[in-house]
Amino acid sequence: MNEAEEPFRVLPLGGEPSPDLSSIGLKEKELRELYRLMALTRRADLEATALQRQGELAVYPPLIGQEAAQVGSAFALEESDWIFPSYRELGAAVVRGVDLVEYLHFYRATWHGGTYDSNAHRFGMVSVPVASQILHAVGYAMGAKLDGIALATLVYFGDGATSEGDFHEGCNFAAVFRSPVVFFCQNNQWAISVPLSAQTIAPIWKKAEAYGFPGVRVDGNDVLAVYQVTREAVTRAREEGVPTLIEAVTYRIGPHSTADDASKYRPSEEVERWKALDPLERYRSWLAASGMADEDFFQGVEGEAKGFSARMRSGVIASGPRPVEEMFQWVFADLPPHLARQRDEALRFAEGSGEGDPGG
């Protein structure tokens, strides 16, 4: 168990020695790629927020400030490993190559969970019910183990999810049956308007001790530290069947969602204090100071990020409604007569009003 109260970090925070990169195992190209992925995520996140404000998305949960936690952890996985997201994991989706237009169909309210292929990306559907995806991750990991498939699953959730029964049930099951799963808590300090201090007394990472597996507290704004502890955890899960609980200490700079006004409950001084620890600026400064990247690189990434978000915007705006009949598919093998009548009525209405895509 990690007994240190201070989160594990790699990137210096004033007066600390430079990191020993040999223990991390990343090449210079990969170190630059981490920044590129965080920059793409930041730009896409800001664009998605703007799209919601302009009425193109029904709602959107900003992740600004949590890029290092998501990119560093997702980057540490093998291609065969699975990710089970909650509803704020756009950064992990970027790492996995998920088409963000398809991802944002969920937030556009045109398709539950998104239209991307989960199997192709090893990236589960968007999951809103708090902590429910933890059970999905544990169950998938257990199933893979029974099938003799060597993989690990990583599940993302917030600090608020650790107050749900699903979290504790998932931890206990994974421990007893040695499921190869990594529990990744993005502790962004607030469960909507409830501060961490009002929902738990024991530090989150220490909760792992009750279940008999390792718990780690990491600086969630340090992409290299997040990568290192996640890499160790997924290797342990895959090779030994030992779960790990990672608490990534970070901060939700934006609101809980675009339906929330965080200024009503959160002190501005707190937000400004965390803005000074911006994970992108922190990593960019280190890359530049260490000679790993120059201004041409950063400008090139900025240009790529602008194009990336612009294509996402165009794709979202061009997205039409889904075919009406899809509402009645994939629930029953044989549609009951009363639902068949409702489907036919809905299709007639859609054809008459010009809505939907009856021929799709």
Side-chain angles (χ1 to χ4, degrees):
M1 306 290 281
N2 177 5
E3 294 298 336
E5 289 294 339
E6 279 297 309
F8 171 76
R9 66 174 52 94
V10 172
L11 293 174
L13 261 185
E16 297 176 355
S18 297
D20 176 15
L21 296 181
S22 63
S23 62
I24 300 174
L26 290 171
K27 300 174 182 177
E28 286 192 20
K29 181 179 179 180
E30 293 170 316
L31 292 169
R32 289 190 291 271
E33 178 65 4
L34 283 171
Y35 179 82
R36 172 183 168 273
L37 291 168
M38 285 201 294
L40 293 181
T41 297
R42 171 69 61 89
R43 177 68 69 164
D45 180 64
L46 292 172
E47 195 66 69
T49 300
L51 282 165
Q52 192 284 327
R53 299 305 189 197
Q54 294 159 8
E56 296 294 344
L57 299 178
V59 69
Y60 179 72
L63 65 88
I64 185 169
Q66 297 179 223
E67 295 89 352
Q70 293 189 20
V71 170
S73 53
F75 198 76
L77 303 179
E78 297 290 344
E79 185 179 350
S80 59
D81 296 331
W82 267 78
I83 288 174
F84 288 84
S86 64
Y87 47 79
R88 202 186 302 275
E89 275 69 59
L90 181 142
V94 168
V95 176
R96 275 299 164 103
V98 175
D99 184 316
L100 294 188
V101 175
E102 296 183 351
Y103 175 86
L104 290 173
H105 266 292
F106 175 81
Y107 305 95
R108 194 165 166 80
T110 45
W111 187 260
H112 190 67
T115 61
Y116 54 89
D117 186 338
S118 286
N119 288 312
H121 298 286
R122 308 290 197 274
F123 191 87
M125 290 299 181
V126 174
S127 184
V128 171
V130 177
S132 59
Q133 71 278 7
I134 294 175
L135 302 180
H136 304 160
V138 174
Y140 194 96
M142 188 63 190
K145 181 178 178 180
L146 292 173
D147 288 341
I149 301 172
L151 59 77
T153 64
L154 184 146
V155 57
Y156 290 103
F157 52 94
D159 42 291
T162 65
S163 296
E164 295 283 343
D166 299 37
F167 165 75
H168 298 281
E169 293 159 10
C171 286
N172 191 60
F173 191 98
V176 171
F177 293 99
R178 298 181 66 85
S179 298
V181 59
V182 176
F183 301 95
F184 194 93
C185 176
Q186 294 177 88
N187 177 6
N188 62 22
Q189 314 303 314
W190 291 90
I192 309 184
S193 60
V194 179
L196 182 67
S197 60
Q199 67 170 332
T200 186
I201 300 301
I204 289 173
W205 66 274
K206 282 192 174 182
K207 297 180 190 294
E209 187 173 357
Y211 300 104
F213 55 74
V216 181
R217 195 168 193 238
V218 65
D219 183 341
N221 285 15
D222 178 345
V223 69
L224 297 184
V226 172
Y227 171 85
Q228 184 170 336
V229 300
T230 308
R231 188 72 175 175
E232 292 170 356
V234 294
T235 300
R236 183 164 53 242
R238 196 183 306 112
E239 297 180 358
E240 304 173 34
V242 176
T244 300
L245 170 60
I246 298 173
E247 176 192 0
V249 181
T250 183
Y251 194 77
R252 192 192 77 211
I253 297 295
H256 172 73
S257 77
T258 47
D260 172 46
D261 181 0
S263 68
K264 298 293 186 182
Y265 56 82
R266 203 168 57 178
S268 58
E269 317 85 71
E270 179 182 276
V271 178
E272 292 305 312
R273 185 168 66 251
W274 278 94
K275 281 184 177 180
L277 299 172
D278 185 310
L280 264 76
E281 289 303 316
R282 184 174 168 190
Y283 191 49
R284 175 177 176 145
S285 296
W286 179 80
L287 283 173
S290 62
M292 298 286 181
D294 57 19
E295 193 57 33
D296 286 344
F297 167 77
F298 294 121
Q299 289 183 7
V301 168
E302 180 64 18
E304 182 184 0
K306 287 180 179 179
F308 181 73
S309 62
R311 289 190 296 275
M312 183 192 82
R313 163 177 278 276
S314 298
V316 167
I317 292 174
S319 298
R322 300 294 302 175
V324 172
E325 63 267 26
E326 285 184 338
M327 291 190 293
F328 299 89
Q329 294 175 349
W330 306 303
V331 178
F332 295 95
D334 297 307
L335 201 64
H338 71 287
L339 290 182
R341 289 194 298 271
Q342 291 180 29
R343 178 200 59 199
D344 294 343
E345 183 179 350
L347 286 172
R348 285 195 299 272
F349 176 81
E351 290 171 358
S353 64
E355 295 181 2
D357 182 15

